[in-house]
Amino acid sequence: MRLGLFIPCYVDQFYPQAGLATLRLLEKLGHQVACPSAPACCGQPLANSGHAAEGEVFLDDFARAYAGFDRVIAPSASCLLHLKEGLEARGHELAHRLHELCEFLHDVEQVQSLDAVFPHRVGLHAGCHGLRGLGLGRPSECMVADFSKPARLLQMVQGLELVPLDRPDECCGFGGSFAVFESDVSVAMGRDRVDDHVRHGAEFITGTDLSCLMHLGGLLARSNPHVKVRHIAEILAGEP
Amino acid sequence: MSRDRILQAVRAAQPEALPLPDLAPLQTLPKTPALADFTATLDFIGARWRRAADLAEVAAALAAERPDGAAWASTVPGLAGSVDLAAIADPHDLGDLHAAVLPGRFGVCENGAVWLDETALGPHRVLPFIAQHLVLVLSARELVADLHQAYARLGAPDTGFGLFLAGPSKTADIEQCLVVGAHGARSCTVWLLGEPA
Amino acid sequence: MVTTHPTAAHDFLNDPKRAAWHDQTLWMVRAKRDRMAATVPEWEQLRETAARIKDHTLSRLSEYLEQFSARAEANGIQVHWAADAEEHNRIVHGILQRHGVRRLVKSKSMLTEECHLNPHLEAHGIEVVDSDLGERIVQFKKEPPSHIVMPAIHLKRAEVGEVFHEHLGTPAGLDDAQALTEAARQHLRGHFLGADAALTGVNFAIAETGGFVVCTNEGNADMGAHLAPVHIACMGIEKLIPKAEHLGVFLRLLARSATGQPSTVFSSHFLKPRPGQEMHVVLVDNGRSRQLGRADYRRSLACIRCAACFNTCPVYRRSGGHSYSYFIAGPIGSILAPNVDRQAHADMPFASTLCGSCTAVCPVKIDIHAQLLKWRQEVVQAGGTGRLKPLALKLTGFVLRRPRLYRLAGRLMRRFAPLAQKLGLDPWTRHRDLPEPPARSFHELMQQQRRP
C-alpha cells in the first residue's frame, strides 16, 4: 500500500520525533510511505476561530497533495477529523481514505502484536476529537459496549501498565485558540487532567494528539517535571 | 392577531415533513414487571413499602401508627379517614392534613412511580401534595415494567388531572445535599396488597 | 473579542476551592446520570427515538400547534399566543389584573426568565414568589439562576444560611441543608396557601390531548396550581410532542439525564381545569420561529432543558453559570443565545473547547458542539470578535500556506521559543512551558535523510 503521511504543522515544528516514530511504525508494517512537504496545516485553527471560509484553501492544498495515495495517515486525531469532515462535506472520496494512526493500525492493519517495550506506568489521555469525533473509543457518555483502540494497542506493548483514571475522557482544555483566549479555564482543566494522571501514578501521559499533550506537558513541566508526555506513536514504535 | 402571525411564521420556517418514528420497538421489548424490581426502585428513591394481605391489614396498621388527633384523609374505598373530604369546600382548609391515603392504579417498576388519576384524588387535586405524609395503596398485581407499558395501559386520558408520583417530595437545591420533604409529602409509603401476578 | 466569559471565568477561578467544589459537585451529577442511563439497556435507542420525535414535531409544528390549541380549548383551557416576550408579559399581567391578583406563586419556568416576567409584574405592584427552593434563594439574592435545573448551585450552604437569616429570620450561622429547607418549606407553604394565582412552566404539551405535563421533585408546581383559583402555564412553542405515548420516551430520558433519578417525584398531567378554576396556557414564539427557519440551528429547539450538557461541560463546571452572558448558560445556552442577540452574546460560542461531550450526553441528540462551531463563523462574519484576533489568524493562515515562509517562520519560532518562555508574557507561557524546541523540524530531518 502506498501511504501518504500527513504531519501537521505543530508536530513538524515541535515534535519531529513523533513524526519519525509514525514513519518507522508504518514502514515496519511493510508500507511505502511518502510525506509531501507542501501542505502543513489542516486549517482547523482558522475554522475553530470562526474563519472556516479562509481555512478552506488548506483543504484544497491537502486534497491536491494527497490524492494519489492509497491511504493517508496522520498521527493527530484532531487535524485528521477536521480534514475528514471538510472533505466529506465536499463529497470528496479522499475523506474515506484518511486514518488516524491508531485507527489505521487497529482497523485496517488489524495489528495483533507489536515489537515494543515500554516498562512504565502510562496514563492514556483520550483526546476528544479522536474519541467522540473519530470513534477511537467509547465516550463515557455513551451507553454502548466499552472499547478503546489506542488502549488495545498500548496493551500490546511489553511492560506497559495503563493507569486507571477517575475521569477517563474529560477534555484537557487545549481547544486550539481556546488555550489562549480562555487561558484561565484552559489551564484549570489541564491541571485537573494532570492531577488525575499523577494521582494514579502515571510516569507518562500518552495520547493520539500532541496538541493536548503539548498543553498537558507544558503544565507538567511546572508542577510535576518527573512526569513526561509521549505521543502514542513513539511508544508503539518501541522508542525508549 | 398573534396566533395567525406565529402560525404563519412557523409554517414558513418549518422544514419538509419528517417521519414520526415507530415506538413499537420500544413498546414491545420483552420486559416483565416484577414486584422485586418495583420494591428495589422504591428503596432507591426513598419511598417505604410494605406488603399486606388485604385492606383490613392496612387499616389496622394505619390506625395503630397514627399519632393521636392527627387529621388524615382517605380516598381508598373501604378505608375511611378522619376528615370528610366531601365536606371541605376550599382545598386551603387541608393545610393541616397529617396524612393522605390514596389508591394507586398501577406502579412502574423502572422508576417507582405510581399512577394516580383524578378519581383517586377525590374532590381535591392538591391532596397528595399538601398532606405531610402520603400512603399509597396498590395491588401487588398492578405493575408495569416501564413507562412505555404504562402509557399503553393509560391510553387516552379520561380525567382532568393525573400524575405519576415517585416517592416523597425532595430537593437538592442547597449544595446538592438531598433533603426529603420539600414542599410536598415528607414521606411516602406504598402498601402492596395481595400476591403479585 | 468581547471578553466577558474569559474575564468572568477568571474571577470565578480566583477562588480555587469553590471552583473545585463546583466542578466536583456537578461532575457527581454527571456520574449519577451515567449510572442511571446504564440501567436502561435501550438507552441509545431511546435517545435516537426522542431525537426523531422532536425532528418530526418541529417539521410539522404549525399543525401540532393548531391541534393542541383546539384540543386544549375544548378541554376548557384558555389558550393565548404571544409573538414575543413583551406580549407574553402583557398577557400574563392582563389575566392577573382581571382577577385582581396581588400575589403570584411561580414554579420553575425558564421561559418567564427569558421574558423578564418578574420585574414586569413587580412594576405593576404584583408580588411574585418563586417557589422552587433554588429559585427562591436566588430571588432573595436578586441574582439570575446559574443553572437551569439547580438554580443556586453556585452558592454554598453558609451563603444560603445568610440569605435565609436575612429574609426568613433563621438563626444566624445556620448552615444545615435540612434545617434550611425546612425553613423554606414553612415560608413557602404560607405563600402557597395565600396566593391568588399560580404560574408554572410546561415540560411537554401533547397535541393529541391538549394537555400538558409539568415535572418537579419538590411538588411546588402542584402546590401552587391546585390551590390557586387561577393557573397560568407558560410554554415555548417548541415544547409540543404529538401524542401521550411519546411521554414514555421523554420522561424516561428527562430525570435520568437531569439529576440521575429514574423519575422526577411528580410528573403531573394537566388536562382540564378543576371545577371553579381558570386554566390558561400561553404559547410563546419569541424568536423560536426564526430559529426554526435556520436549518443549522433548528435542532436546538429539541432541547428538553435537562441541563445534562451543563453538568458534563468542563468549561461550565469551571466557570460557573454567571460567567455566561445569557440566562441559560452552558453549551445549550451558548447556541440559543446568539439567536436572540448575536452581538450581545458573541463570546458564548467561544466558551467551549468543542470537546463534544455535550452532544454525546444530550438525550435528544442535539449536535451542540457542531452548532457552536457554526455560530463562531457567523459571529466572526458579523465582526463580533473585534479586529485583532481575525488579523492574527489571517496572518498565521497566510504564513502556513507558503512553504518557504512557513519554514522560515518555524525556524524563528523555535529559536525564540525559549525567550518567550523566559518572558512568560503571553497567555500560554504564563502557566505552561513550551515544548523544548528541536534543532530541526520533521520535514528538515526528512530532507536530510534524502526523503521526498
Side-chain angles (χ1 to χ4, degrees):
Chain A
M1 228 187 299
R2 233 174 80 76
L3 301 181
L5 177 59
F6 177 72
I7 300 296
C9 50
Y10 72 102
V11 178
D12 180 40
Q13 291 299 328
F14 282 113
Y15 299 100
Q17 69 279 17
L20 294 174
T22 308
L23 185 65
R24 270 195 290 275
L25 254 174
L26 296 173
E27 286 181 338
K28 257 202 276 188
L29 290 165
H31 297 296
Q32 207 190 328
V33 186
C35 187
S37 63
C41 177
C42 62
Q44 184 179 202
L46 286 163
N48 284 5
S49 305
H51 296 265
E54 287 97 324
E56 289 281 308
V57 287
F58 290 98
L59 279 180
D60 298 331
D61 292 347
F62 175 84
R64 217 176 298 119
Y66 284 90
F69 293 99
D70 296 323
R71 293 182 190 269
V72 182
I73 317 299
S76 166
S78 188
C79 307
L80 190 98
L81 176 67
H82 180 75
L83 291 166
K84 204 180 181 96
E85 286 181 342
L87 292 173
E88 256 168 16
R90 293 177 177 197
H92 201 301
E93 55 81 37
L94 181 58
H96 309 292
R97 292 187 279 127
L98 304 185
H99 300 279
E100 183 279 330
L101 174 65
C102 291
E103 177 189 86
F104 179 74
L105 297 177
H106 188 277
D107 294 356
V108 181
E109 289 293 313
Q110 302 190 8
V111 164
Q112 298 301 325
S113 66
L114 286 164
D115 177 23
V117 183
F118 199 74
H120 298 287
R121 289 173 63 81
V122 174
L124 172 61
H125 172 68
C128 303
H129 288 172
L131 183 74
R132 300 191 187 85
L134 293 174
L136 296 183
R138 177 188 79 98
S140 58
E141 301 89 8
C142 295
M143 299 300 139
V144 297
D146 200 19
F147 72 100
S148 164
K149 296 172 190 178
R152 265 203 70 196
L153 292 167
L154 287 170
Q155 278 152 356
M156 295 174 198
V157 176
Q158 237 184 78
L160 185 146
E161 186 190 342
L162 270 178
V163 302
L165 297 170
D166 290 334
R167 301 185 188 183
D169 58 11
E170 188 175 49
C171 177
C172 68
F174 172 71
S177 60
F178 183 89
V180 173
F181 293 105
E182 286 264 14
S183 69
D184 292 294
V185 180
S186 170
V187 166
M189 287 167 67
R191 284 192 181 136
D192 286 351
R193 286 290 77 235
V194 161
D195 289 348
D196 196 353
H197 287 269
V198 171
R199 199 163 53 238
H200 289 91
E203 300 162 67
F204 290 88
I205 301 178
T206 191
T208 54
D209 287 88
L210 278 160
S211 46
C212 310
L213 295 178
M214 178 165 70
H215 168 62
L216 294 174
L219 290 165
L220 279 170
R222 303 218 178 156
S223 64
N224 305 83
H226 58 287
V227 181
K228 305 286 182 200
V229 295
R230 280 277 186 288
H231 188 269
I232 194 165
E234 296 176 71
I235 296 177
L236 300 181
E239 317 272 310
Chain B
M1 211 179 125
S2 286
R3 178 185 192 274
D4 299 332
R5 240 175 58 216
I6 293 170
L7 284 172
Q8 206 175 347
V10 169
R11 226 170 275 128
Q14 68 197 19
E16 233 172 277
L18 293 162
L20 182 63
D22 184 8
L23 295 193
L26 288 164
Q27 289 165 333
T28 55
L29 287 170
K31 290 190 198 175
T32 322
L35 184 63
D37 293 342
F38 184 59
T39 53
T41 313
L42 290 178
D43 288 336
F44 183 76
I45 62 174
R48 296 180 204 136
W49 58 273
R50 292 168 76 173
R51 304 275 311 266
D54 53 29
L55 202 57
E57 201 181 323
V58 179
L62 290 177
E65 290 160 21
R66 192 175 61 240
D68 284 340
W72 64 293
S74 169
T75 58
V76 177
L79 200 146
S82 68
V83 175
D84 180 9
L85 287 169
I88 289 175
D90 184 349
H92 291 81
D93 296 340
L94 294 166
D96 295 322
L97 195 65
H98 175 71
V101 189
L102 308 167
R105 185 155 16 139
F106 60 87
V108 186
C109 295
E110 71 162 334
N111 62 13
V114 174
W115 177 258
L116 300 165
D117 64 24
E118 195 148 32
T119 53
L121 305 182
H124 302 296
R125 288 181 184 178
V126 80
L127 191 59
F129 308 98
I130 202 165
Q132 298 287 333
H133 300 276
L134 204 55
V135 178
L136 305 178
V137 181
L138 181 70
S139 161
R141 305 177 68 87
E142 302 296 331
L143 296 177
V144 297
D146 63 19
L147 279 178
H148 306 301
Q149 294 182 6
Y151 281 102
R153 188 166 164 172
L154 279 176
D158 50 1
T159 58
F161 178 74
L163 80 150
F164 282 112
L165 195 155
S169 78
K170 54 179 80 135
T171 183
D173 273 353
I174 300 176
E175 270 199 16
Q176 272 297 289
C177 303
L178 179 68
V179 177
V180 171
H183 301 304
R186 298 173 189 273
S187 75
C188 174
T189 307
V190 181
W191 280 90
L192 293 151
L193 297 194
E195 289 307 311
Chain C
M1 175 81 188
V2 185
T3 51
T4 40
H5 187 269
T7 311
H10 174 84
D11 294 343
F12 182 85
L13 290 164
N14 255 343
D15 186 346
K17 256 178 81 177
R18 177 189 290 253
W21 178 85
H22 191 265
D23 165 63
Q24 195 61 44
T25 304
L26 288 160
W27 180 258
M28 202 179 70
V29 182
R30 156 74 208 275
K32 280 204 280 191
R33 171 265 175 205
D34 289 354
R35 282 197 295 276
M36 201 41 66
T39 64
V40 180
E42 63 274 22
W43 183 257
E44 297 300 332
Q45 192 186 349
L46 265 182
R47 287 177 71 226
E48 179 62 27
T49 308
R52 285 169 47 212
I53 295 169
K54 280 287 185 180
D55 287 349
H56 162 82
T57 313
L58 290 171
S59 79
R60 292 179 50 184
L61 189 58
S62 59
E63 293 159 63
Y64 283 127
L65 281 167
E66 287 179 292
Q67 189 185 7
F68 171 77
S69 67
R71 301 273 157 91
E73 281 169 357
N75 292 338
I77 299 175
Q78 299 180 38
V79 179
H80 311 262
W81 301 73
D84 53 28
E86 201 194 330
E87 190 175 8
H88 163 265
N89 294 350
R90 214 166 45 234
I91 290 168
V92 172
H93 179 237
I95 299 168
L96 299 179
Q97 211 171 17
R98 245 185 311 112
H99 290 270
V101 170
R102 310 305 305 166
R103 279 172 302 179
L104 173 75
V105 281
K106 182 160 84 67
S107 71
K108 205 183 281 166
S109 152
M110 285 304 122
L111 178 67
T112 57
E113 199 72 41
E114 171 186 328
C115 296
H116 303 289
L117 177 69
N118 287 18
H120 178 83
L121 295 180
E122 281 155 8
H124 286 88
I126 294 169
E127 185 192 1
V128 183
V129 177
D130 283 331
S131 61
D132 172 83
L133 176 58
E135 287 215 309
R136 189 63 178 150
I137 295 167
V138 297
Q139 188 182 29
F140 280 143
K141 284 212 79 173
K142 297 187 166 59
E143 283 178 353
S146 67
H147 186 288
I148 57 173
V149 170
M150 300 168 263
I153 194 64
H154 59 291
L155 296 172
K156 303 284 288 176
R157 258 179 305 166
E159 292 167 298
V160 177
E162 279 170 38
V163 174
F164 280 15
H165 174 61
E166 185 187 333
H167 292 271
L168 301 181
T170 52
L174 181 71
D175 69 348
D176 175 66
Q178 180 93 41
L180 291 168
T181 302
E182 183 62 30
R185 177 186 171 100
Q186 300 303 340
H187 155 73
L188 284 164
R189 267 210 168 219
H191 284 287
F192 288 127
L193 291 167
D196 308 313
L199 191 148
T200 68
V202 169
N203 289 92
F204 304 98
I206 302 103
E208 170 191 53
T209 67
F212 58 92
V213 172
V214 182
C215 302
T216 72
N217 280 322
E218 299 182 5
N220 56 316
D222 290 276
M223 276 293 272
H226 303 311
L227 283 172
V230 183
H231 174 192
I232 307 170
C234 299
M235 58 177 274
I237 53 174
E238 82 282 19
K239 293 283 172 197
L240 278 178
I241 56 173
K243 296 176 177 186
E245 66 175 358
H246 296 130
L247 288 167
V249 175
F250 290 104
L251 292 184
R252 293 188 79 194
L253 289 164
L254 179 61
R256 288 184 173 94
S257 297
T259 52
Q261 293 170 269
S263 165
T264 47
V265 174
F266 306 104
S267 309
S268 295
H269 297 50
F270 294 85
L271 192 69
K272 296 172 184 169
R274 66 175 193 271
Q277 184 198 33
E278 251 185 44
M279 194 179 276
H280 299 261
V281 167
V282 188
L283 293 162
V284 185
D285 182 343
N286 204 34
R288 286 164 177 76
S289 57
R290 183 172 62 233
Q291 187 88 322
L292 183 65
R294 293 172 156 159
D296 284 345
Y297 309 113
R298 178 177 299 137
R299 299 214 66 249
S300 64
L301 295 171
C303 177
I304 58 172
R305 302 290 190 266
C306 72
C309 63
F310 284 54
N311 305 335
T312 203
C313 179
V315 177
Y316 172 82
R317 276 187 268 111
R318 291 177 185 78
S319 58
H322 291 160
S323 65
Y324 298 79
S325 53
Y326 193 53
F327 78 101
I328 300 183
I332 184 69
S334 301
I335 59 171
L336 293 174
N339 177 54
V340 177
D341 187 337
R342 198 178 47 198
Q343 212 56 35
H345 307 297
D347 59 329
M348 282 181 70
F350 292 89
S352 162
T353 59
L354 305 180
C355 75
S357 183
C358 46
T359 300
V361 87
C362 177
V364 290
K365 300 182 95 164
I366 302 171
D367 53 340
I368 302 176
H369 75 293
Q371 294 192 29
L372 285 168
L373 182 58
K374 284 173 186 158
W375 275 122
R376 288 184 184 186
Q377 316 305 323
E378 295 205 21
V379 167
V380 166
Q381 265 165 33
T385 52
R387 287 216 197 117
L388 197 64
K389 195 176 166 187
L391 197 69
L393 283 158
K394 268 183 195 152
L395 184 68
T396 313
F398 182 85
V399 173
L400 283 173
R401 271 204 83 204
R402 286 159 182 79
R404 286 173 63 185
L405 195 55
Y406 163 76
R407 272 176 218 131
L408 175 68
R411 268 200 294 278
L412 287 171
M413 189 172 64
R414 277 180 276 133
R415 173 92 42 87
F416 288 107
L419 180 67
Q421 183 76 64
K422 221 169 276 169
L423 291 172
L425 291 176
D426 61 288
W428 182 277
T429 53
R430 208 173 296 141
H431 302 289
R432 294 162 282 216
D433 277 9
L434 282 165
E436 194 81 35
R440 295 196 200 296
S441 73
F442 175 77
H443 280 102
E444 287 166 355
L445 288 169
M446 293 286 276
Q447 265 168 357
Q448 259 185 347
Q449 297 175 21
R450 57 82 214 151
R451 283 170 173 282

